[in-house]
Amino acid sequence: MKSKQSWLNARISNLRAKTETEQQRLERLKQEVLGEGEAASRPTRRSFLTRLGFGATLLALAGQAYAFLRSLKPNVLYEAPQRFKVGTPDQFGEGGKFLEDKRLFVFRQGKTFYAISASCTHLGCTVKMEKLNQPKKVKTRQREFEEQYEFHCPCHGSKYYGDGTNYAGPAPRPLDYFKLELAAEDGQLIVDMEQKVGQDFRLTV
Ligand code: FES
């Protein structure tokens, strides 16, 4: 009886050992198969470099195509029109009116009108019109007149007489005068900033 028992125990442990060995073998096999699969799915260095090169070529071609298509479309500069209406003469009182968006002064003296640029001839800052406490007599190269206002530039201190002639500071020349016309269709004043005129230009309406 005892020997039967020990034979049975030996057999069981033998079977157990066998089962464990089979399991280990199966496990190794599994690892080998899965390991190879992963390795196969991982991109190799060579294929990675190939893909990188392909991508860079595509990118360069796309850039060239864009540059070519862009060159077919002309660049358009949307500048403010240089010729524009500023209203009818009766909308202007005696003296100067500053049109901020145009950087322009439009003056009325009775029935005459003229337009002076507010852009300083030094570096283009906007000059300010200063009303004088007392009118003063001024003699410029152009003429002699009594002025009631002057233009002063806040940037570097240039000063201009009432007729736009520079007399102090770094401004190299007088303020520009622009041509004024009357529109036939609605009687509005038209300023043409592409046409500079002399200081004695006057539009009589
Ligand atoms: S910009 Fe007017 S003085 Fe310089």
Side-chain angles (χ1 to χ4, degrees):
M1 186 69 185
K2 198 174 178 182
S3 67
K4 256 189 182 177
Q5 181 69 45
S6 58
W7 175 83
L8 198 59
N9 286 345
R11 187 90 180 113
I12 287 168
S13 60
N14 196 15
L15 275 173
R16 238 183 231 151
K18 255 190 180 174
T19 311
E20 276 174 12
T21 314
E22 286 303 315
Q23 271 182 353
Q24 282 168 357
R25 201 177 295 154
L26 268 174
E27 201 56 46
R28 198 171 55 247
L29 199 63
K30 202 166 122 193
Q31 273 182 4
E32 277 174 18
V33 171
L34 284 179
E36 275 175 18
E38 277 172 17
S41 66
R42 219 179 294 139
T44 62
R45 183 180 154 79
R46 189 176 170 164
S47 74
F48 172 73
L49 288 176
T50 310
R51 279 185 212 171
L52 198 69
F54 186 64
T57 311
L58 265 186
L59 216 63
L61 283 175
Q64 279 183 6
Y66 174 76
F68 172 70
L69 290 174
R70 186 73 190 79
S71 71
L72 294 178
K73 196 180 168 202
N75 280 328
V76 180
L77 270 180
Y78 296 100
E79 281 181 0
Q82 296 293 291
R83 189 180 149 86
F84 47 84
K85 293 178 178 174
V86 293
T88 51
D90 56 7
Q91 292 176 303
F92 291 82
E94 198 67 14
K97 181 175 179 181
F98 180 48
L99 308 180
E100 192 175 355
D101 57 330
K102 306 293 183 191
R103 299 178 70 216
L104 187 78
F105 295 99
V106 175
F107 283 91
R108 175 176 191 162
Q109 283 177 344
K111 287 181 181 289
T112 61
F113 290 82
Y114 57 99
I116 303 182
S117 167
S119 174
C120 179
T121 57
H122 179 221
L123 290 176
C125 288
T126 303
V127 298
K128 304 248 178 300
M129 188 168 71
E130 308 279 339
K131 184 112 174 90
L132 301 179
N133 293 332
Q134 295 247 316
K136 73 174 179 188
K137 279 214 170 7
V138 170
K139 196 174 173 186
T140 67
R141 272 168 294 171
Q142 298 262 338
R143 59 205 174 101
E144 197 176 313
F145 65 102
E146 191 180 82
E147 67 174 12
Q148 299 184 4
Y149 54 85
E150 290 191 341
F151 302 102
H152 295 171
C153 181
C155 291
H156 313 101
S158 287
K159 292 184 178 179
Y160 303 82
Y161 292 130
D163 70 346
T165 304
N166 53 309
Y167 74 88
R173 59 185 173 79
L175 295 171
D176 291 323
Y177 275 57
F178 299 119
K179 189 171 179 190
L180 271 179
E181 294 169 54
L182 215 52
E185 65 277 13
D186 57 6
Q188 287 200 54
L189 292 167
I190 300 173
V191 182
D192 189 346
M193 290 181 80
E194 275 176 6
Q195 288 201 57
K196 291 179 187 171
V197 291
Q199 283 183 328
D200 50 2
F201 171 91
R202 297 290 181 272
L203 171 74
T204 305
V205 298

